[in-house]
Amino acid sequence: HNWFTISAQSPDVEKQLTQDKDKNRELSLNKDRTLGVYISGRDEVRVIDLKTLASTTVVEDELWGLYTPKAHFSPDDRYIVFSPVRNFEREVMLYHRATKKTLNLTKTLVTETNPVWSPDGRTLAFARFDASSRCQIMLVAASGGNERKIADCFAGMASTYDWTPDGSGLLMGLEAKLANERSSPLRKLDIASGNWISLVYVIADGAIDIDPRYSPDGKWIVFRRSISLSDLWKMPAEGGAPQRLT
């Protein structure tokens, strides 16, 4: 599997960007959209320059071929966070691009996964599954240490998420719903209180909204509706009626 682009004006015109032999997946971009970082095969974190299209391996580690979390650039592009496997459990690690050194932020011998940078680049959020498989949402300083639990995962589950633009919370979508709910809306975890708050917006009975992301200007939320045969939707970040995009 390699990366391609396709023209929005001419959908039949595509361009191959990489010539990698292994399966490429989980691409994420830096803040100004000049660099991409992705997982290749079972053991490579690779960076692609989106101007020159040159692709290089920056980390070789045990990543596994299935369910590998995305790697992400820090807001200042100095670091990449990724989730390798140690003793069959995932860890949260940083790669310093200038020195090419790595730092393990967790070292707990339980699974920590889905790390995401705070908007100011000082903190990382991640999900931890302890020895009893209890899921918790954690924060850790990007410099290491000062780890703290924010809350238990909603309904014991965790999925992909995004920080709110002001750094006050995490936005997540899950298949789970409360007993009195007829659908699964997006939910925000308030960091100060540790409370999960369901977003109020128009959502059909039985709908499941997942994989939310804020737009670069913070004015919109884009998400997937449904687990399979999904479509993309967007809505104003302050709330309102969602609009179907695909």
Side-chain angles (χ1 to χ4, degrees), residues 182-194:
R182 303 178 69 175
S183 56
S184 300
L186 300 176
R187 305 179 200 276
K188 184 179 78 170
L189 173 57
D190 180 70
I191 289 176
S193 66

Side-chain angles (χ1 to χ4, degrees), residues 17-18 27 34-38 46-50 53-56:
L17 304 183
T18 58
L27 175 70
T34 59
L35 296 170
V37 60
Y38 61 94
R46 296 180 63 87
V47 168
I48 182 170
D49 185 314
L50 297 179
L53 302 183
S55 176
T56 57

Side-chain angles (χ1 to χ4, degrees), residues 42-114:
R42 292 176 52 89
D43 57 5
E44 291 185 335
V45 179
R46 296 180 63 87
V47 168
I48 182 170
D49 185 314
L50 297 179
K51 293 180 179 178
T52 66
L53 302 183
S55 176
T56 57
T57 299
V58 295
V59 175
E60 291 188 33
D61 209 324
E62 185 58 54
L63 300 168
W64 287 9
L66 294 173
Y67 310 116
T68 310
K70 280 188 176 183
H72 295 279
F73 286 101
S74 59
D76 61 7
D77 291 344
R78 294 173 59 203
Y79 294 90
I80 294 171
V81 65
F82 64 105
S83 299
V85 175
R86 294 286 185 276
N87 296 314
F88 299 97
E89 305 290 353
R90 290 203 178 274
E91 304 278 6
V92 175
M93 295 189 69
L94 296 183
Y95 170 76
H96 188 215
R97 296 179 65 208
T99 65
K100 300 182 180 180
K101 293 182 178 179
T102 58
L103 171 66
N104 192 333
L105 296 178
T106 48
K107 299 181 184 178
T108 59
L109 299 180
V110 297
T111 289
E112 286 104 2
T113 188
N114 292 347

